[in-house]
Amino acid sequence: MLSGGQKRRLSTGIAFIGDSKFIVLDEPTSGMDPTARRQVWEMLKNYRNDRIILLTTHFMDEADYLGDRIGIMSEGQLRCLGSSVYLKNQFGIGYNLTIVKASQDKNPVIHQTIKNVVPGAVLLQEASTEITI
């Protein structure tokens, strides 16, 4: 039996088998651990050439990494649309740095090194092989 994350990965792979030029993916990485999410992101990046992919997500980092154009909806209405850079310039309040580590071990040296360069940096999350500051 497959887990929820494995089912999503399988469904995402199946969506590309028919070589469709338009693919709709509804939250393809929901419920996945950070490592699995990154693997799906890389697959989507590698197979998006000559295709239109409409992807829904609640994760802004996912939209930022994968989206050429990002639309943000609220209460069923499209509220803004544009490139990642445009949206950040218009509505952004800061930056997030996500680092993928070689191992799952906690590594306080990474956070301290960033904090030495950017004194206001705050550790937001350290899960699996990812650290977000």
Side-chain angles (χ1 to χ4, degrees):
M1 185 169 293
L2 299 176
S3 70
Q6 290 170 325
K7 288 177 185 176
R8 287 194 179 276
R9 289 172 79 173
L10 178 61
S11 295
T12 301
I14 289 170
F16 285 86
I17 289 175
D19 200 30
S20 296
K21 298 302 176 195
F22 182 72
I23 296 174
V24 178
L25 299 173
D26 184 23
E27 298 189 34
T29 62
S30 178
M32 289 184 190
D33 64 82
T35 303
R37 284 180 66 210
R38 289 279 177 184
Q39 289 173 345
V40 170
W41 291 3
E42 291 307 315
M43 185 200 77
L44 293 174
K45 281 268 194 186
N46 290 335
Y47 291 104
R48 72 181 187 174
N49 293 340
D50 300 322
R51 289 188 171 92
I52 296 170
I53 300 175
L54 176 64
L55 180 137
T56 64
T57 184
H58 285 95
F59 302 113
M60 289 306 296
D61 59 334
E62 184 167 79
D64 185 30
Y65 186 74
L66 294 173
D68 295 324
R69 290 188 2 173
I70 300 168
I72 298 177
M73 296 186 71
S74 175
E75 299 178 6
Q77 298 290 316
L78 183 64
R79 302 297 180 172
C80 57
L81 176 68
S83 69
S84 177
V85 171
Y86 170 78
L87 295 175
K88 286 177 185 176
N89 286 336
Q90 293 291 60
F91 307 106
I93 57 170
Y95 297 93
N96 283 348
L97 172 65
T98 301
I99 300 168
V100 179
K101 304 179 297 182
S103 74
Q104 293 186 13
D105 299 336
K106 300 267 186 212
N107 192 338
V109 174
I110 294 172
H111 180 233
Q112 188 56 49
T113 302
I114 300 298
K115 201 160 180 61
N116 290 342
V117 177
V118 183
V122 176
L123 177 65
L124 297 175
Q125 175 182 342
E126 187 166 4
S128 187
T129 60
E130 282 189 5
I131 181 170
T132 303
I133 299 172

